[in-house]
Amino acid sequence: MRTDIWHAYAAAWSAPAEQRHTLLDRHVCPQVSYRDPVTEVRGRDALADYMHAFQQGFPGHRFAIVTVDTHHDRSLAHWQLRDADDTPIQAGISHAIHDITHRLADITGFFPAPAQPTGEVNAG
């Protein structure tokens, strides 16, 4: 079941707005916490906005779930970012804590972070 949740969540990243909201309503907690090397957001609406910004910056790209490992209330999804030709261009992993209904409650994505501009220090 958690594998299906991850596939739906991955699909939300490239789905049209209405479909994205339906997928998130079904599979992500309203108060979800999300973080990756680029940002940190709280709440399903803020996550949907971040996904929309991703779509604008990477038109035609999508996430594909490769494998999912689970135990207790946690899961780890290995994924690929694929371009419009379905060629993998980046790989990463995402960890989640699930709520009692198995929805994603806390998500942390790991992938190579973009280079920091000269003079900035990465505090993370």
Side-chain angles (χ1 to χ4, degrees):
M1 173 160 188
R2 292 192 188 133
T3 299
D4 294 341
I5 291 169
W6 277 109
H7 284 285
Y9 170 76
W13 283 89
S14 56
E18 185 176 315
Q19 184 181 2
R20 179 174 52 250
H21 286 286
T22 298
L23 289 166
L24 293 178
D25 287 350
R26 186 174 302 138
H27 300 291
V28 175
C29 292
Q31 65 278 20
V32 65
S33 292
Y34 172 90
R35 72 204 52 76
D36 66 30
V38 178
T39 196
E40 186 169 350
V41 298
R42 185 155 179 87
R44 199 163 45 206
D45 290 338
L47 179 57
D49 290 344
Y50 184 55
M51 289 176 168
H52 176 74
F54 165 82
Q55 287 179 346
Q56 301 307 302
F58 296 91
H61 288 64
R62 69 178 187 88
F63 288 99
I65 300 299
V66 178
T67 61
V68 176
D69 301 311
T70 66
H71 67 79
H72 298 88
D73 64 344
R74 298 170 194 270
S75 63
L76 186 67
H78 300 257
W79 50 261
Q80 294 176 338
L81 176 59
R82 295 175 171 249
D83 66 14
D85 295 325
D86 207 34
T87 302
I89 61 169
Q90 185 176 39
I93 57 172
S94 293
H95 170 265
I97 299 173
H98 298 259
D99 71 4
I100 196 161
T101 65
H102 304 291
R103 291 183 301 177
L104 301 169
D106 189 285
I107 306 163
T108 303
F110 295 87
F111 54 87
Q116 295 287 323
T118 305
E120 286 192 30
V121 176
N122 186 351

